[in-house]
Each structure stands twice: as C-alpha cells, then as structure tokens.
Amino acid sequence: MSVMNQGRRANKLVGNKNSILYMDLKDIVRNHALQFLPAKSLFRFTGVCRDWKLDITTPFFAHKQSNSFRDISGFFFQSGTAPPSFISLDPKAYGVPDPSLSFLPEPVEIRSSSNGLLCCQAHDGCKAYYICNPVTRKWKKLPKPNADHGSNPAIVLIFEPSLLNFVAEYKLICVFPSVDFDNGYEFEIYSSRDETWRVSGEIYFGHQHLVPRTGVHVNDIVYWVLDYQILVFDLTMERAQQLSGNFYGTGGVGALGLMDGKLCLTTPSPTGLTVKVLANAYTNTMGMHSNARAWETKHQISLSPPPFRASDYNPRMTSNILFAGGKVVLYRSGGNLHTYDLKTKETQCLGDELDQNARIVSHVNSLVEI
C-alpha cells in the first residue's frame, strides 16, 4: 500500500511541474505579462526571440491584449483640415506608426475614439465615416447614414472589448438637429453587427445649444454637454432626458469623462482641479426638499503653482479641461498643455499649445482587430 501511495505522490509532483512555479521566467512573461503591455512596446519585444514574435503577431494575442490593456496612451491633435498629429504620454512605451492617418484612402477629421479605435470622417465628397486602428493601420468604411449629421457631428464611438468577440463589435451614435421639429434633436445609431444605420424614434426637445465634441459613453448611456446641463441618451431604452451639471469653475469650463466605470465631471478650481462623479441621475425627479445630490466630489487636487486664474473664467471660452478619463486629466495653462496622473499624482508638460481650437481625441495603444 505504501508503494502505491508513493506512486501517487510522484505523479502529483510531476503534474505540478507544469504549473507557473516550474516555468522559466521568459515563459511566465510571455504567457502572463505581455498582454498587459501597450502596442508599441510589444512591437519592440518581437525582436527578443522567435517564440515571442510568433505569439505577439497572432490574432489570439491581439484579442487578449485589447482586453487587458486599457490605459490612455496619448492624444491625437488636429487643426482644421490639416493632418492629425500624435502626442504620447510616454514616447518609449506608446506610439502609432502613422499619426497623420495617411493609410486611409482620403483625408479625414478625427471625430471620436474608444479603446483603441478611431472614428474619422472624410473632408470632402459624401463625408464618409471610417473606423480604424491607427496601430495596425487597418480600417473599414461605413455605409452612408440616413440623416444629415451636420458639418460638425456630435458623434460618439462605443467599443467595449469582450473576451467573447475576436473581432471588434462597436456602435456609433450621433445626435443631430431635427429637420421636422423646431428645437428638437434626433439620434441615429450604427451597429457593426448589423452594418446598418437606424434613426431612433426618440426626440429630445430643448432650447439649449449642444456642444459637439463632448460626448461620453458610460454603461450603455451617452452624455453630451448642453449650454448649462447635460443631454442623456439611454441606448438600451432609447430614451433621452436632461441632467444637471455645473461645468463652470474658477478659471474656466470643465469636461465630462469616464473614471472607474462612472461618469465624472472635472472642473478648474482656485487651487487646481475638482473631480466629481455622478452619484444620482434622478435628482431631477425628486421632491423639492430632497437631500439627494447628483454629483459627489471624488478628488480635490491641488497643483503648484495653481494653473487657473479667476480672470480666466468666461462661459463662452473654450474649455481649459481638454480631457478627463481613466487616470488622466489633460488641461491647458499658460499657453502649454499639461497632464495630471490621478494614480501617481504627477504633472507632466506636453509642450506648447499651437491651436486652442484644435480637436483633441484620446488614444489607447491597442492591437484590437477590426
């Protein structure tokens, strides 16, 4: 009996040698760490050895990496009809091979981004929409929408990586002025699964002006900035409503974003930045004396020297907060662009701001397949 037990223990030991404790370090890194790295770093690591190159260049690895890496890596900047440029938050780790997007069949304007994908629109002709990954330089031209989205469409790209989908499934939603109803806004939705555009039956009525480049997607709900409030569209119910939100702080206008799975509102403050998260979206329907608040302060950030002045406050000016999402806040101060990292609490100067009216779109350095 003792001999049989020894055999069982021996077999068990042999089996354990296949666990991570008995793997070589290079195999541990290849199988359990590489997928969490940005695309530019991964391209460098294809030169480490033949096995790493074969792994990194497979569609299965691209699928794993697009699900594992979600960090904001940098920003595309574009002025007027000029080709875009890219500013990396870490040039050694993040980058794209062709920031001008010259691999697309015609010149475009970047409209939106989501988890590694860009939504672009052609300058001329029928102003076709394109979806592309600037890392892999792969792209797809979309069919023509049913409605006229206008010259500066308030369009939002929605892509949430899924372990179940090896090819990206995404949506576009655009809010546009109704041609049939005064002071009305309608919504058109594109689904990559169906490859079709569809105008929703929902119409939002309001007198406030909608700010095009402010759309944010959070948990199947899309938010846009109005003059003094927020337009909300529920993608599941296809219902629109208004939400209160104070975008004006000392030193200028704030911005919407996504942080930790919640909608956030980042505004300038006398000492730096204030980040609030949406705590209750239904305060508009509560009683007059309810103590419920729509927004709760999550971060009160002090910056030295304070980047904003009270004299900068102007409700009609371009926002001083250019982006707020993930762990990064991008803001302008003193003619320069700066980022603040909410995790490391470090501030970084990205350089001079050449054009205050430039379109700015965030980028995640992903290998996602279209």
Side-chain angles (χ1 to χ4, degrees):
M1 182 69 94
S2 62
V3 174
M4 293 177 64
N5 289 337
Q6 288 176 3
R8 290 195 185 97
R9 286 196 297 271
N11 290 336
K12 187 175 182 181
L13 181 61
V14 171
N16 284 343
K17 287 184 178 180
N18 293 322
S19 73
I20 192 171
L21 296 175
Y22 294 91
M23 293 173 65
D24 291 337
L25 178 59
K26 65 180 179 65
D27 294 325
I28 294 175
V29 173
R30 183 182 68 182
N31 296 331
H32 301 280
L34 287 181
Q35 68 196 62
F36 295 96
L37 297 179
K40 183 175 180 178
S41 296
L42 291 169
F43 289 146
R44 289 207 313 271
F45 290 156
T46 57
V48 171
C49 65
R50 182 175 179 272
D51 287 345
W52 280 29
K53 181 177 182 179
L54 291 175
D55 273 0
I56 291 172
T57 54
T58 62
F60 181 66
F61 181 86
H63 175 64
K64 290 196 300 181
Q65 192 266 354
S66 65
N67 279 273
S68 304
F69 183 80
R70 305 283 188 92
D71 292 348
I72 300 299
S73 310
F75 299 91
F76 282 94
F77 287 76
Q78 188 173 20
S79 299
T81 59
S85 59
F86 182 73
I87 297 182
S88 174
L89 296 183
D90 183 349
K92 292 183 178 180
Y94 311 135
V96 295
D98 182 5
S100 66
L101 307 183
S102 63
F103 58 87
L104 292 174
E106 56 185 322
V108 297
E109 296 181 29
I110 301 176
R111 296 299 186 190
S112 181
S113 70
S114 182
N115 288 313
L117 297 182
L118 295 180
C119 171
C120 306
Q121 187 179 29
H123 287 313
D124 304 314
C126 64
K127 295 186 177 295
Y129 288 113
Y130 293 88
I131 302 297
C132 72
N133 182 344
V135 169
T136 63
R137 289 178 281 192
K138 294 182 179 179
W139 55 272
K140 181 177 182 179
K141 183 178 180 179
L142 303 188
K144 185 178 179 180
N146 300 304
D148 181 4
H149 294 174
S151 60
N152 192 11
I155 198 163
V156 177
L157 173 61
I158 302 168
F159 167 57
E160 296 295 340
S162 168
L163 289 172
L164 301 177
N165 299 325
F166 278 79
V167 177
E169 289 190 359
Y170 51 87
K171 291 182 178 180
L172 287 170
I173 177 167
C174 184
V175 54
F176 59 93
S178 174
V179 296
D180 299 317
F181 301 94
D182 293 338
N183 301 317
Y185 285 97
E186 297 188 59
F187 305 85
E188 186 164 20
I189 303 166
Y190 175 83
S191 168
S192 65
R193 178 181 295 180
D194 303 327
E195 297 187 339
T196 58
W197 288 92
R198 176 179 59 84
V199 177
S200 170
E202 179 73 349
I203 301 177
Y204 167 78
F205 291 95
H207 294 279
Q208 296 188 50
H209 174 260
L210 186 139
V211 184
R213 288 176 271 162
T214 58
V216 175
H217 167 252
V218 182
N219 299 326
D220 282 336
I221 299 177
V222 184
Y223 305 84
W224 291 270
V225 176
L226 299 169
D227 285 335
Y228 297 100
Q229 289 184 309
I230 299 169
L231 173 59
V232 182
F233 185 81
D234 188 317
L235 281 166
T236 303
M237 303 296 293
E238 295 199 14
R239 292 292 181 265
Q241 66 176 30
Q242 282 187 183
L243 175 67
S244 62
N246 182 11
F247 291 90
Y248 305 104
T250 300
V253 189
L256 293 177
L258 170 64
M259 290 185 183
D260 299 326
K262 293 184 178 181
L263 181 71
C264 68
L265 172 57
T266 304
T267 56
S269 71
T271 57
L273 302 165
T274 299
V275 180
K276 297 181 179 181
V277 295
L278 181 63
N280 189 337
Y282 303 101
T283 52
N284 292 347
T285 63
M286 294 184 174
M288 291 181 60
H289 302 292
S290 172
N291 293 324
R293 294 185 177 181
W295 301 89
E296 291 182 354
T297 300
K298 184 173 184 179
H299 300 285
Q300 193 71 55
I301 302 165
S302 295
L303 301 174
S304 181
F308 311 114
R309 301 168 298 175
S311 59
D312 291 334
Y313 175 80
N314 183 350
R316 298 181 180 277
M317 74 177 291
T318 304
S319 174
N320 280 330
I321 310 297
L322 304 175
F323 174 84
K327 61 178 182 178
V328 176
V329 179
L330 175 70
Y331 63 93
R332 60 161 61 94
S333 176
N336 292 322
L337 296 173
H338 304 263
T339 59
Y340 178 81
D341 191 307
L342 293 164
K343 184 176 181 180
T344 64
K345 303 187 186 307
E346 295 179 347
T347 302
Q348 177 184 359
C349 180
L350 299 182
D352 297 339
E353 182 182 25
L354 301 179
D355 181 3
Q356 287 196 359
N357 296 315
R359 292 180 297 280
I360 299 174
V361 177
S362 63
H363 170 65
V364 174
N365 217 206
S366 170
L367 294 173
V368 58
E369 293 281 344
I370 299 179

